[in-house]
Structure formats: C-alpha cells, structure tokens
Amino acid sequence: MRKLFNEFKEFAIKGNVLDLAIGIIIGAAFTTVVGSLVNDILMPPLGRLLGNVDFSDLFINLSDGDYDSLAQAKDAGAATINYGLFINNVINFLIVAFVVFMLVKQINRLKRAPVKEEVPNTKECPYCKSSIALAATRCPHCTSQLEAGPGGSN
C-alpha cells in the first residue's frame, strides 16, 4: 500500500499534472469571462441590430401552451428547443477557440527552433592546417599524403 501511495505521490507531483490543474482552473475562469463578453457585451448590440432580438430568449415550443418567453415555458415545464442559447454557446466556443489559437500561435512563435547539429564536411590538414574535404587523401594546398577520411579510400 505504501508503494502505491508513493507512486501516486510521484505522479501527482510531476510538472505535467500541476500544469494541467492550473490550465483547468484558468480555463474555467476564462470561460466565465468569455461567457460574460458574449452575453453582456456582444449579444445585446447584435440583437439590437437584428430588430431588438434577445438571443437567449429564442426557442421553439414543442408543447401545446403558448409562452411569451423561455422563462415562462420553463416554469410551466414545457418542452422547448432553445436555439437562442445554442447560438450564444456557439459564439462562446468560437471566441474561446480563436483566443486559444492566437495564444498557441504566439507561444509557438516564441519557442526557439531546435538547434540542428551540423555534420562537418571538412577537416583540417595536419601539416598546413588548411581546411580540406573530409574524404581527401592528399591536401590540395601542401600536397601532403593524408590518411583516408570517412567515405574516402586508401
């Protein structure tokens, strides 16, 4: 049992788990802010432009009664299709997706490209110290005989 607890503790303390927990907390707070942005700032002017429509109150009544608002229909227990709330949620999703896209794009831009280790294609002549081809068997500068390099023959 102690070994299991130690393994769990090691797993929970790893950076990835903590990063995930922080991401979920920030994501929940961010969702609240975006929800307020859509419902309180974007939708009222959009509704006004479309003839004073309140998107959150748009619904299709599936029952026999007649209701002036979604709240009345819910209070009466009527079956409804709440397409106005769906429109709000789609707009919320699009805003969150766009912000996350921009955030990831900026993070990727700030990341350094991995440094590729260059494979040398030249070597130094041991006699005249000139730079020569890796496979050279004779130095073109001092004409000294060299040991065969990688890919060379001799």
Side-chain angles (χ1 to χ4, degrees), residues 15-136:
N16 292 342
V17 175
L18 294 175
D19 291 345
L20 179 63
I22 291 168
I24 289 171
I25 293 167
I26 290 174
F30 183 70
T31 300
T32 303
V33 170
V34 170
S36 177
L37 172 70
V38 170
N39 296 328
D40 302 329
I41 295 177
L42 295 179
M43 295 312 278
L46 185 61
R48 181 135 192 228
L49 286 174
L50 297 174
N52 291 330
V53 175
D54 180 9
F55 283 91
S56 63
D57 210 26
L58 297 177
F59 68 100
I60 296 172
N61 184 10
L62 300 176
S63 48
D64 295 331
D66 188 27
Y67 307 102
D68 293 330
S69 70
L70 179 59
Q72 288 178 352
K74 283 187 175 185
D75 287 344
T80 59
I81 296 176
N82 307 322
Y83 67 92
L85 294 174
F86 178 74
I87 291 171
N88 281 353
N89 287 330
V90 167
I91 292 171
N92 278 347
F93 169 77
L94 292 175
I95 291 172
V96 169
F98 180 72
V99 170
V100 168
F101 166 75
M102 294 303 290
L103 180 67
V104 169
K105 185 176 177 177
Q106 290 302 319
I107 289 171
N108 287 339
R109 188 176 67 85
L110 294 175
K111 281 185 180 177
R112 279 188 182 173
V115 178
K116 293 182 181 178
E117 191 173 315
E118 288 190 32
V119 177
N121 58 357
T122 61
K123 63 182 178 181
E124 187 178 86
C125 172
Y127 303 103
C128 69
K129 306 298 184 196
S130 298
S131 180
I132 58 175
L134 197 56

